[in-house]
Amino acid sequence: MARTSACGTWGAVVMATVALAGFARPVSAAGPAPSPVVTVWIQNEAPAAPGILSVAKSEVTRMYRHAGVKIVWAAATSTAHLFIVIRGDKMAERMNVSAGAMGHAVVLAATGTGRRAYIFLENVERRSDVTGVVTGCVLGHVIAHEIGHLLGLAHSSSGIMREVWDRDDFALARRGLLLFTSAEREMFRGPLFAMGPQ
């Protein structure tokens, strides 16, 4: 039987920066509205190995599809709504991010949304080593979490948007079950996602 998640088969670690410029949901007079579309560019500065990055992208695409959002991986920065920058731990220190943080989204206080997030590769790799979850899987979940912040989600008490993941959360991630909550999925169907690119 085929797995729905790449986490159980192989994985990798990546660090990244995400930027959100806009997303679009075409409006139709007949039938249900199609899924909102978010286009993401990854700037792989660390760099993360191609295989690891491929697993991470697959996980992000799967988690957002489950939430009713289509992720498109941009081929050029000019077409991207979001940007993900993969960086090392030294950059995390320069950014004054808490020690051990795997990611950081830059959001505006006025809107709670943003255009850029950073993923710190070595911290992702260390967490992968400790939990036994493949690095590509961990990386994908961190990217999905930070994109969630850029789209306006706050931390929650359960699911992918929990502020701190414990061993149970990583076990869920390995099985492809660490996902957005029903309330978060409902938010993705809200007015914000009816907008075109900004």
Side-chain angles (χ1 to χ4, degrees):
M1 182 168 71
R3 291 183 179 269
T4 57
S5 169
C7 291
T9 54
W10 60 291
V13 179
V14 177
M15 299 194 40
T17 302
V18 182
L20 161 65
F23 24 74
R25 171 191 278 168
V27 178
S28 172
S35 297
V37 177
V38 177
T39 304
V40 180
W41 166 265
I42 291 189
Q43 186 172 333
N44 190 9
E45 293 181 359
I52 289 173
L53 193 54
S54 176
V55 170
K57 286 180 174 181
S58 176
E59 283 300 289
V60 173
T61 300
R62 178 189 61 80
M63 285 182 276
Y64 275 92
R65 183 187 313 117
H66 182 267
V69 177
K70 181 178 180 181
I71 296 291
V72 174
W73 299 102
T77 57
S78 61
T79 63
H81 300 143
L82 305 177
F83 299 86
I84 304 291
V85 176
I86 302 172
R87 290 187 167 173
D89 289 0
K90 288 186 179 178
M91 184 54 67
E93 293 171 12
R94 291 180 197 165
M95 294 174 64
N96 201 26
V97 175
S98 61
M102 294 185 288
H104 176 72
V106 180
V107 298
L108 298 173
T111 63
T113 61
R115 300 197 53 172
R116 186 169 301 271
Y118 299 87
I119 311 299
F120 307 112
L121 184 60
E122 288 95 333
N123 287 339
V124 172
E125 291 172 326
R126 279 191 282 273
R127 197 62 56 88
S128 172
D129 290 342
V130 169
T131 61
V133 179
V134 295
T135 53
C137 180
V138 177
L139 178 62
H141 283 74
V142 174
I143 291 172
H145 177 102
E146 300 306 336
I147 289 175
H149 283 315
L150 295 178
L151 298 178
L153 296 181
H155 285 134
S156 65
S157 60
S158 63
I160 188 71
M161 294 307 296
R162 270 175 50 103
E163 183 173 9
V164 178
W165 298 336
D166 59 23
R167 285 192 174 272
D168 290 340
D169 294 313
F170 282 101
L172 289 172
R174 182 186 291 113
R175 296 166 55 203
L177 299 176
L178 188 63
L179 301 165
F180 293 100
T181 65
S182 58
E184 289 160 352
R185 294 193 301 271
E186 189 63 31
M187 177 272 194
F188 289 143
R189 292 189 282 272
L192 175 65
F193 283 84
M195 296 165 29
Q198 300 174 350

